[in-house]
Amino acid sequence: MMAIVLAAAVAATPSPKPAQPLKVIIHIRSNNTYCSSVRTMAVPIGYVTRRNDEAFAAIDHSLLKFFESVRGVSSAGTQDMETLSSELDDAAIYTPTGTLSTMKVNQIAYDIVQNLALEDQVMHDSWTKYPKGAFPNIDAMRERLQNLMDLQRALAGRYVEFASTYEDNAGQAKYADDAASFKALLRDTILGLSSALAHAHDPSDELPPQETVHDLAHTGNVSDVVRELKLQEMAFSTEIVDAGNSCGI
């Protein structure tokens, strides 16, 4: 969804027109600090955000493979419980394809988290160089970028939760007092987490983007996070184009 951001910024920038030298000097001086932040903070974070979106798309592809491997599986009934009691793991959930797909989900989610760590450093450098309140336009830009980062981190965390629940509980039933009940509960948990992720992109009523999304990122359900991320990215797309026009990027 962010693939067009930087391209749009370039495409929307008009060809430079001749201007009076004095006016150009005044324009550069009045926007130097802001434009420097656009180049050193907004553009790099926008680029990494776009790459993270591509990674999320790859995760969804792996998640689809997982669903294909568990097609038709539902909560364990009485007959299933008898089978579960004699298995090391729930064979309906721990299929070869399901295991490989989940490992891929975890790997890509980890890469996204690492990307976000790089963005954190860029933001830290900006706060150090331009303290809060010194430049309102930079503060506003940082707030938008922080919203994007918080939401992507929250979404990556949901994928990690799903993959970790799957991977960390493999082979653990043998330690449970009631192995069949353990595996039945684990099946419901894994199917529930994966289902929430799969339906997070379903159409829903969209409100304007929130000014701050810190609480939503931490307490909202995965659908709320995905919807708000889309809205924040759309808002950023417009703002980065305007910033590019203003700064001649």
Side-chain angles (χ1 to χ4, degrees), residues 54-70 96-109 159 162-163 194 197-198:
E54 294 171 353
F56 281 125
I59 285 182
D60 287 337
H61 177 73
S62 293
L63 191 63
L64 177 61
K65 293 294 184 182
F66 171 81
F67 271 110
E68 291 175 351
S69 74
V70 298
T97 298
T99 299
L100 289 174
S101 298
T102 305
M103 291 173 62
K104 189 66 174 179
V105 168
N106 206 22
Q107 175 193 333
I108 299 173
Y159 286 108
F162 157 69
S194 59
L197 290 167

Side-chain angles (χ1 to χ4, degrees), residues 1 39 53 65-66 75 79 85 88 110 126 175 189 194 199 207 222 246:
M1 62 185 74
R39 292 183 175 88
D53 277 340
K65 293 294 184 182
F66 171 81
S75 295
Q79 186 174 357
S85 65
L88 176 61
Y110 176 79
S126 175
Y175 301 110
T189 302
S194 59
H199 292 288
L207 301 174
V222 66
S246 175

